């Protein structure tokens, strides 16, 4: 059902169908990695926003009306990101960018993921220039998620004293 | 006498400056010399009809097309009739010849409307069809290659104008563009309220099970779009361009949601 939901939110080419990815690549020119993330979405979902170990990054691109939500689950002792998930409404490139972002942040320290650059995501997916802002959105989402987690932690800390 | 007037109008404007005091010159439209670009600065010999035709085929880029709202110096390349003093000169009123595209004429001028957000949308279609009756390439198939080319470009431009002005969001963005307001499309927004609202809206659209619930969502979204559309109008009229841009961003989100709903319906 989630895949169906994803497919509906994609605007991939003349028709969204269940045909094999090769046809899509040929007709529209999406890189096979983008198509892979579309056909085999990783980490789609939601964590509980109220969970103190969850940071939620919510960003949008006004030019195309895209919305991207990226969430991280952090181990508070080690500061490592143990899990991540995303939900994106937008084009195939936006979905693939956020999917890649969730894969890359898993198992990393928070400071480390702040260094993930949109250009790396774009290169990994071979995004055309017109879709570069999608990777930028993913980078911003990661930063927003980390920021949200740190804000939560800061708010929680004084209460414990 | 009429031919001479036409020739002088078409020819070098420095010529006019030199002989403006001449009693032989017919009265011409008031042109500001400082705005004029002179294609050539030589006196022309007495002109015979062959040379006149060649002159008529000269590219018109040397002409002061960039005079703001006045087209008083445009004249038809075919018959020399002077174009309207106001409004777009797309086709000649005298001989019907299609004119080359003048990019300085904006979409509102093409439709004879004031440059503002609230327009009579109902009037657009009628004016659009009137123009197409004069400009459409299918109607000029018996004319010269040159005119067919003009027709194709003019017709395409009128279509663009019609589409841009008809849709409120594109009209709003076009108005901002005319005011030279540059909207940074790359910038991401992180207004949590707006995004949360949009996320929930899009999720609701995805999860809607039947036409009824989709239509309910659709009417809610349309109401929001209308209300933000009004906000844009107010902000724009007050020249509060930051708010105006913000309104267009919201409108974009609502339009996307509406598109998704339409796809599902």
């Amino acid at each position: 059902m989630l895949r169906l939901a994803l497919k509906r939110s994609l605007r991939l080419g003349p028709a969204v169908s269940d045909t094999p990815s090769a046809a899509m690549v040929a007709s529209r020119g999406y890189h096979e990695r983008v198509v892979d993330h579309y056909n085999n979405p990783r980490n789609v979902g939601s964590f509980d926003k109220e969970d103190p170990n969850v940071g939620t990054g919510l960003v949008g691109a006004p030019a195309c009306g895209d919305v991207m939500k990226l969430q991280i689950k952090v181990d508070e002792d080690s500061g490592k990101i143990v899990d991540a998930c995303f939900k994106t409404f937008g084009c195939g490139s936006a979905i693939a960018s956020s999917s890649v972002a969730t894969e890359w942040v898993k198992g990393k320290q928070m400071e480390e993921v702040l260094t993930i650059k949109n250009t790396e995501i774009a290169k990994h997916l071979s995004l055309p220039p017109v879709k570069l802002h999608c990777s930028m959105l993913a980078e911003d989402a990661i930063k927003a998620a980390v920021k949200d987690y740190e804000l939560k932690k800061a708010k929680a800390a004084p209460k414990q004293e | 006498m009429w031919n001479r007037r036409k020739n002088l109008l078409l020819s070098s404007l420095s010529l006019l400056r030199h002989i403006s005091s001449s009693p032989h010159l017919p009265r011409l439209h008031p042109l500001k010399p400082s705005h004029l670009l002179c294609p050539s600065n030589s006196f022309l010999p007495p002109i015979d009809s062959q040379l006149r035709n060649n002159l008529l085929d000269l590219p018109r880029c040397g002409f002061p097309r960039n005079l703001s709202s006045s087209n008083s110096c445009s004249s038809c390349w075919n018959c020399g009739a002077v174009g309207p003093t106001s409004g777009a000169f797309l086709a000649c009123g005298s001989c019907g010849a299609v004119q080359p595209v003048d990019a300085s004429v904006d979409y509102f001028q093409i439709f004879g409307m004031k440059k503002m957000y609230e327009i009579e949308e109902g009037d657009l279609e009628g004016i659009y069809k009137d123009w197409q009756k004069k400009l459409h390439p299918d109607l000029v198939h018996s004319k010269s290659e040159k005119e067919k080319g003009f027709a194709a470009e003019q017709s395409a431009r009128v279509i663009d104008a019609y589409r841009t002005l008809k849709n409120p969001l594109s009209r709003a963005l076009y108005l901002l563009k005319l005011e030279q307001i540059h909207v940074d499309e790359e910038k991401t927004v992180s207004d949590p309220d707006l995004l949360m609202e949009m996320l929930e809206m899009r999720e609701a659209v995805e999860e809607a099970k039947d036409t009824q619930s989709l239509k309910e969502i659709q009417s809610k979204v349309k109401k929001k779009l209308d209300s933000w559309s009004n906000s844009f109008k107010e902000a724009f009229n007050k020249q509060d361009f930051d708010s105006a841009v913000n309104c267009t961003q919201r409108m974009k989100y609502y339009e996307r949601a509406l598109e998704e709903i339409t796809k599902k319906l």
Side-chain angles (χ1 to χ4, degrees), chain B residues 134-154:
Chain B
K134 296 178 187 150
L135 301 173
H136 201 277
D138 287 349
L139 301 169
V140 297
H141 55 84
S142 55
K143 300 202 178 174
S144 63
E145 282 307 314
K146 178 168 87 176
E147 196 170 349
K148 280 192 219 171
F150 292 157
E153 287 170 5
Q154 284 287 19

Side-chain angles (χ1 to χ4, degrees), chain B residues 174-238:
Chain B
Y174 183 67
L175 273 169
L176 288 173
K177 183 176 145 191
L178 288 178
E179 294 291 322
Q180 316 280 340
I181 308 293
H182 174 67
V183 182
D184 186 2
E185 301 213 316
E186 305 284 307
K187 212 168 116 193
T188 53
V189 330
S190 38
D191 173 6
D193 296 328
L194 164 65
L195 291 172
M196 215 45 232
E197 182 196 334
M198 291 322 301
L199 198 67
E200 284 166 8
M201 188 183 292
R202 297 290 294 268
E203 277 172 355
V205 170
E206 291 242 324
E207 287 158 17
K209 301 232 187 306
D210 51 32
T211 316
Q212 176 67 15
S213 36
L214 272 177
K215 293 217 154 158
E216 274 167 29
I217 304 175
Q218 191 182 43
S219 69
K220 271 190 216 152
V221 177
K222 274 192 179 150
K223 277 201 190 111
K224 295 213 163 155
L225 186 58
D226 286 338
S227 118
W228 280 97
S229 168
N230 276 331
S231 304
F232 170 81
K233 180 178 78 184
E234 283 163 16
F236 187 77
N237 289 341
K238 272 190 280 180

Side-chain angles (χ1 to χ4, degrees), chain A residues 5-6 8-11 49 58-67 69 87 89-91 133 137 140, chain B residues 184-190 192 195-196 198-199 202-203 205-207 249 252-253 256 259-260 263-264:
Chain A
L6 249 191
R8 270 198 228 113
S9 58
L10 281 180
R11 284 139 124 243
K49 241 183 114 167
L58 192 55
V59 292
C64 40
D66 286 351
V67 189
K69 179 172 86 167
K87 214 172 201 188
F89 290 98
C91 63
H133 67 276
L137 204 60
D140 287 345
Chain B
D184 186 2
E185 301 213 316
E186 305 284 307
K187 212 168 116 193
T188 53
V189 330
S190 38
L195 291 172
M196 215 45 232
M198 291 322 301
L199 198 67
R202 297 290 294 268
E203 277 172 355
V205 170
E206 291 242 324
E207 287 158 17
Q249 288 175 350
K252 177 80 203 177
Y253 275 107
R256 266 303 287 273
E259 276 170 27
E260 291 299 319
K263 273 193 214 166
K264 271 192 89 168

Side-chain angles (χ1 to χ4, degrees), chain B residues 176 181-182 235-236 239-249:
Chain B
L176 288 173
I181 308 293
H182 174 67
F236 187 77
Q239 309 241 311
D240 179 2
F241 295 128
D242 286 338
S243 301
V245 168
N246 188 38
C247 294
T248 57
Q249 288 175 350

Side-chain angles (χ1 to χ4, degrees), chain A residues 47-127:
Chain A
F47 297 144
D48 177 13
K49 241 183 114 167
E50 307 305 321
D51 184 334
N53 295 325
V54 167
T56 304
L58 192 55
V59 292
C64 40
D66 286 351
V67 189
M68 192 185 281
K69 179 172 86 167
L70 192 144
Q71 290 178 301
I72 51 173
K73 200 173 262 176
V74 186
D75 174 49
E76 54 183 298
D77 299 320
S78 60
K80 212 158 73 155
I81 297 175
V82 295
D83 201 3
C85 68
F86 80 98
K87 214 172 201 188
T88 296
F89 290 98
C91 63
S93 305
I95 292 174
S97 299
S98 39
S99 179
V100 164
T102 55
E103 284 198 305
W104 285 5
V105 302
K106 275 195 198 172
K108 291 208 171 88
Q109 295 293 120
M110 282 202 295
E111 300 76 33
E112 220 187 317
V113 306
L114 290 177
T115 62
I116 294 177
K117 284 247 130 313
N118 69 310
T119 42
E120 293 162 0
I121 301 176
K123 196 169 165 200
H124 180 78
L125 294 169
S126 301
L127 294 181

